Amino acid sequence: MNVLAQGAPGGDAVSVAEAVAFWILGPIALAGALGMVFARNAVHSAMWLVLTMLSLGALYMAQGAPFLGFVQIIVYTGAVMMLFLFVLMLAGRDSSDSVVEVLRGQRVAALLFGVGLAVLLVATVGRAFADVTPAGLAAGGSNWNGNVPGIGQLLFTRYLLAFELTSALLITAALGAMVLAYAQTRAHVRRGGQRAMVEARLRGDPARIAPLPGPGVFATANSVAVPAVLPDGSIAADSLAEIIDRTEVRPAPEPAPDDAHALTGRPLAERGGRGTSVEGGSTEGSAGDGSTAGTGVHR
Amino acid sequence: MNGAEVMWAQSTWVLAQEGMTRTQELLADDPLWLILLKVVGLFGLGVLLTLFMINWERKVVARMQQRPGPNRVGPNGWLQSLADGLKLAFKEDIMPVAADRRIYFIAPVISTIPAFVAFSVIPFGGEVSIFGEPTVLQLVDLPVGVLVVLACSSIGVYGIVLGGWASGSPYPLLAALRSAAQVISYEIALGLSVVAVILYAGSLSTADIVAAQASGWFGWLLVPSFVVFVIAMVGETNRAPFDLPEAESELVGGFHTEYSSLKFALFFLAEYVNMVTVSAMATTLFLGGGQWPWPLSFLNANGWLQFVAFLAKTFLFLFVFIWLRGTLPRFRYDQFMRLGWKALVPLSLLWILVVFALRTYRVSGSGDVSVLLITLGIVLAALLTVAFLVPDRQRPDEPEIELASDYPVPPLDLAVPDPARPRRRAVAEAPERRRRRRTVAAGASSSTANRKSEE
């Protein structure tokens, strides 16, 4: 705690407000990190990570580095994690962790490398705590008209080469991504774009220009099982879906023509005497229509 | 601009070396009750402006469409949005079965809170005295104030994205994806357009930026930045013509299709507060904050009058939002992305390069500025002359259209009949037809009555 807060502009002593901020934000950041590891849902994981990043940003601000804090929020929380979310959403919302091991020996390797990384981190960070004396922000900050100009001055003088190299790396990555993305659309380009496709279609490349006819003006039903009817009353052959045509049609049991309840499939006894009270002529037509539509295509 | 600006820059330099600017000193001196008062005031301002904006928007758009707009509730209908808000609060809160409950719940909250937080760094006016306590009409003046607004807008979009994802239905998900891509793209343009302002002001603090415009608003000095900022801020707030995340004609209601009751109200609130925030930001960055323009500049002495000027400028931008919505059709998604990446971002980058070059030329002191400006003017004039002298590209004659198949198409010289006459005839016919229909209906009802009596 002492070591972490020593960079504060106030000097070596940790102020009360800073300690409070640390003891609130620190556990939240840690909880976010654990939540990210243990959450089953990928989007929940991402949200936990966002929480960690936000608390880190707030911690930076509390330690007298407002620029770093807000850039952390804008760049990492705002842009990088948003891209993560973008990809996760495309992956589907119910894609949880799979426990099936696809790569052989993956877990053992992950364990080894994980432990190795942990040892490395503990060694370096521990050494930083023990041996290195922190210079504090006071050296760079107050001489240079506050935090922001100080960072700018360092970035564009002392660390210019590293800065430019990083930007070159990022540009290379962006170009690589573009090349990869455009490679997949080459098939589309070969077809010549929208105009060429329209012309080919008009010349009869796919035999038909217009979409297949739907049930249309003369139809008596809007089911896909009912073919479209041409103006002269004949059936439009194009409107028949092949899969329906191929499906065997089983004749449905004919419902009692005078009783709409027959369509619900409840037993006759349950219906009791109510069926007889229904008017005769009014239901007959609709029940008949329903039965023909239900049995599929009739020619 | 030169002398005053240099002087100003020197004065801030001195102040900054002492540690704090005047604004920061005043704000640091605020007692707790004043801070709380300001917080409540800002919240109230946000909510009030939202209620006002909804009504104003409906009224202005109605006038543009030649209809009266809301005119029932309250004087001239100005309480309509309040009534709507109350009604919304008492509606049933629906949680879809497929929703991810926790995230569905938290999404509107995430989208509302940053919208209000961004309010805190905006310098609404000058130095005033509230109950005898000298202060500034601003909650906090951070050295990175502009970044706070950018950060808030980038967090606020999480609400939209998560809300769309957690709803568990396809349309909101599509809207969420659009929104994510849109905000990332337009935030870049927005950030780049601010760079020139920061360069000229020499600070990221909003109060400093306003003070730097005492000698000239950045809206005049940095016209390209201003244009890019205004376009990008419309894209950033998901407003027409860039309202693709809630395109009614394509995505039902967009990201909030499944939301109802207070959660929906929160999304609504966030959208309008965001509009107010970006408008206030545009005022701060480009129109000199609360400064009155030249003939009225004697009013600048009073902080409250500056507040009035600030509000007037903000309303100017808010009106532009409404105007755009009433005038422009929605962009197609690829057009929208092309505008962002191929027009706004390169334009901003080029402009920043020019600004940097000019600044470097001036700071290095290698030459006279007027010489440079005259040279630039001559170069520009020469370019324009060349552009006018070069003949327009010959448009190739439209080739004779040959029909590719015997598929029936209408003739190219098809004369569309004048629609005026048939409509007039229809109006003349209408009463007669209506009468006829009434008799038919009467006949039908009497016939059923007859049948009933027969049974």
Side-chain angles (χ1 to χ4, degrees):
Chain A
M1 173 67 211
N2 249 346
V3 180
L4 279 179
Q6 260 173 3
D12 292 341
V14 179
S15 69
V16 179
E18 211 177 318
V20 170
F22 176 82
W23 286 113
I24 292 175
L25 290 170
I28 292 179
L30 202 63
L34 290 176
M36 188 209 79
V37 175
F38 290 114
R40 305 294 295 179
N41 189 310
V43 171
H44 289 178
S45 243
M47 290 320 294
W48 284 114
L49 189 56
V50 167
L51 184 69
T52 302
M53 287 173 170
L54 281 179
S55 345
L56 285 185
L59 268 178
Y60 293 149
M61 290 172 214
Q63 298 197 342
F67 183 79
L68 189 60
F70 278 105
V71 166
Q72 158 97 7
I73 290 177
I74 292 174
V75 174
Y76 284 94
T77 323
V80 175
M81 280 316 290
M82 191 51 83
L83 281 178
F84 265 72
L85 267 187
F86 195 89
V87 175
L88 289 178
M89 285 175 169
L90 287 176
R93 68 183 299 269
D94 289 324
S95 57
S96 299
D97 274 352
S98 157
V99 285
V100 182
E101 197 168 345
V102 186
L103 299 172
R104 188 185 293 264
Q106 174 200 14
R107 289 180 185 222
V108 180
L111 197 70
L112 278 178
F113 281 115
V115 169
L117 185 67
V119 168
L120 210 63
L121 278 178
V122 167
T124 45
V125 175
R127 196 174 152 272
F129 279 173
D131 302 345
V132 181
T133 44
L137 278 179
S142 60
N143 290 347
W144 264 94
N145 185 14
N147 186 239
V148 184
I151 289 180
Q153 194 256 350
L154 279 182
L155 213 55
F156 287 102
T157 52
R158 199 160 144 201
Y159 299 108
L160 184 65
L161 184 66
F163 183 73
E164 292 297 332
L165 279 180
T166 314
S167 58
L169 183 71
L170 286 178
I171 288 176
T172 316
L175 280 180
M178 279 175 75
V179 168
L180 285 177
Y182 273 102
Q184 290 167 356
T185 58
R186 217 171 280 155
H188 180 77
V189 173
R190 209 183 302 131
R191 271 185 280 160
Q194 195 179 10
R195 184 167 187 96
M197 278 168 74
V198 168
E199 275 171 4
R201 200 175 293 156
L202 277 168
R203 293 207 153 68
D205 186 2
R208 205 188 161 79
I209 307 175
L212 297 173
V217 190
F218 302 96
T220 53
N222 62 359
S223 157
V224 282
V226 182
V229 184
L230 293 174
D232 59 352
S234 61
I235 285 174
D238 284 335
S239 70
L240 290 172
E242 280 177 31
I243 188 156
I244 292 179
D245 221 16
R246 264 190 264 116
T247 311
E248 191 187 345
V249 177
R250 274 172 292 141
E254 196 74 18
D258 61 339
D259 190 357
H261 286 281
L263 294 172
T264 63
R266 276 191 291 169
L268 200 72
E270 196 184 317
R271 274 182 268 140
R274 270 180 299 160
T276 53
S277 70
V278 179
E279 273 183 53
S282 60
T283 51
E284 194 173 347
S286 63
D289 278 351
S291 66
T292 47
T295 49
V297 183
H298 60 108
R299 302 195 191 190
Chain B
M1 148 186 140
N2 303 335
E5 199 187 57
V6 169
M7 263 180 63
W8 174 84
Q10 280 167 352
S11 66
T12 40
W13 182 258
V14 172
L15 275 176
Q17 287 209 319
E18 283 166 6
M20 281 187 189
T21 59
R22 171 85 180 135
T23 310
Q24 281 167 340
E25 270 173 23
L26 281 172
L27 286 175
D29 205 27
D30 276 352
L32 188 63
W33 60 264
L34 189 55
I35 294 175
L36 286 177
L37 190 72
K38 280 181 182 173
V39 169
V40 174
L42 279 180
F43 182 75
L45 190 70
V47 175
L48 261 183
L49 280 179
T50 301
L51 289 178
F52 170 77
M53 260 307 283
I54 295 171
N55 241 320
W56 196 33
E57 176 171 24
R58 290 181 65 182
K59 277 178 172 292
V60 171
V61 170
R63 283 299 289 273
M64 287 175 177
Q65 296 167 350
Q66 314 240 3
R67 58 189 173 84
N71 59 0
R72 297 287 153 192
V73 188
N76 274 331
W78 278 105
L79 295 182
Q80 180 69 50
S81 52
L82 183 67
D84 285 348
L86 287 177
K87 184 194 75 173
L88 210 49
F90 289 112
K91 285 191 134 188
E92 185 190 355
D93 195 3
I94 296 168
M95 173 82 74
V97 180
D100 186 315
R101 294 180 151 269
R102 271 173 295 177
I103 291 190
Y104 183 85
F105 180 83
I106 209 171
V109 182
I110 294 181
S111 105
T112 313
I113 291 176
F116 278 104
V117 169
F119 249 38
S120 60
V121 291
I122 288 169
F124 281 98
E127 204 176 319
V128 294
S129 138
I130 299 178
F131 300 125
E133 179 74 34
T135 182
V136 182
L137 285 178
Q138 182 177 1
L139 182 60
V140 50
D141 181 35
L142 288 178
V144 288
V146 178
L147 294 185
V148 175
V149 177
L150 288 180
C152 284
S153 77
S154 71
I155 291 180
V157 74
Y158 270 95
I160 293 177
V161 171
L162 290 176
W165 175 80
S167 294
S169 74
Y171 284 130
L173 181 67
L174 285 175
L177 286 176
R178 282 184 177 193
S179 171
Q182 172 170 345
V183 168
I184 291 174
S185 315
Y186 273 68
E187 183 130 333
I188 292 174
L190 199 75
L192 286 176
S193 69
V194 175
V195 169
V197 172
I198 295 167
L199 194 71
Y200 264 84
S203 167
L204 280 167
S205 137
T206 45
D208 288 355
I209 289 174
V210 170
Q213 296 177 68
S215 53
W217 295 356
F218 289 146
W220 304 124
L221 296 177
L222 310 166
V223 179
S225 293
F226 186 35
V227 171
V228 170
F229 186 90
V230 171
I231 295 176
M233 81 183 188
V234 179
E236 184 84 2
T237 45
N238 300 327
R239 291 282 305 182
F242 302 145
D243 54 347
L244 295 146
E246 41 191 313
E248 304 91 9
S249 52
E250 302 156 28
L251 298 176
V252 191
F255 61 90
H256 53 54
T257 303
E258 306 287 348
Y259 277 90
S260 60
S261 188
L262 262 183
K263 297 199 187 83
F264 175 74
L266 282 183
F267 273 128
F268 221 81
L269 183 70
E271 179 182 335
Y272 279 86
V273 172
N274 270 329
M275 266 165 69
V276 177
T277 311
V278 290
S279 300
M281 229 20 229
T283 306
T284 306
L285 293 177
F286 293 103
L287 292 193
Q291 292 167 359
W292 290 86
W294 164 65
L296 299 170
S297 40
F298 62 90
L299 293 173
N300 282 334
N302 190 325
W304 290 107
L305 283 177
Q306 284 198 24
F307 181 54
V308 173
F310 190 93
L311 279 190
K313 290 172 190 172
T314 308
F315 278 124
L316 185 76
F317 284 107
L318 290 174
F319 180 77
V320 170
F321 271 111
I322 300 172
W323 195 4
L324 287 174
R325 182 174 171 194
T327 320
L328 292 178
R330 184 176 297 129
F331 269 49
R332 219 172 54 206
Y333 197 70
D334 59 327
Q335 293 171 333
F336 174 65
M337 281 292 155
R338 193 178 304 145
L339 176 71
W341 285 104
K342 294 194 176 170
L344 296 184
V345 171
L347 181 73
S348 299
L349 286 174
L350 266 182
W351 173 241
I352 291 172
L353 201 66
V354 170
V355 169
F356 267 108
L358 282 176
R359 285 294 277 202
T360 316
Y361 183 80
R362 264 181 54 188
V363 170
S364 62
S366 55
D368 197 3
V369 180
S370 51
V371 172
L372 176 74
L373 283 179
I374 290 169
T375 321
L376 280 180
I378 290 172
V379 169
L380 198 66
L383 276 179
L384 278 177
T385 324
V386 169
F388 277 118
L389 285 180
V390 167
D392 283 350
R393 193 165 31 141
Q394 290 284 325
R395 283 181 146 271
D397 287 334
E398 282 288 316
E400 192 73 20
I401 294 174
E402 44 151 345
L403 292 180
S405 72
D406 54 354
Y407 194 80
V409 288
L412 281 175
D413 54 350
L414 177 72
V416 181
D418 183 17
R421 251 188 350 192
R423 197 189 298 154
R424 218 174 295 136
R425 205 187 301 142
V427 170
E429 264 179 23
E432 197 197 339
R433 205 186 298 153
R434 221 177 292 139
R435 208 179 311 129
R436 208 185 304 144
R437 202 181 301 143
R438 211 179 301 139
T439 47
V440 169
S445 62
S446 67
S447 72
T448 37
N450 288 344
R451 238 175 76 200
K452 282 230 175 90
S453 65
E454 275 169 25
E455 282 170 12

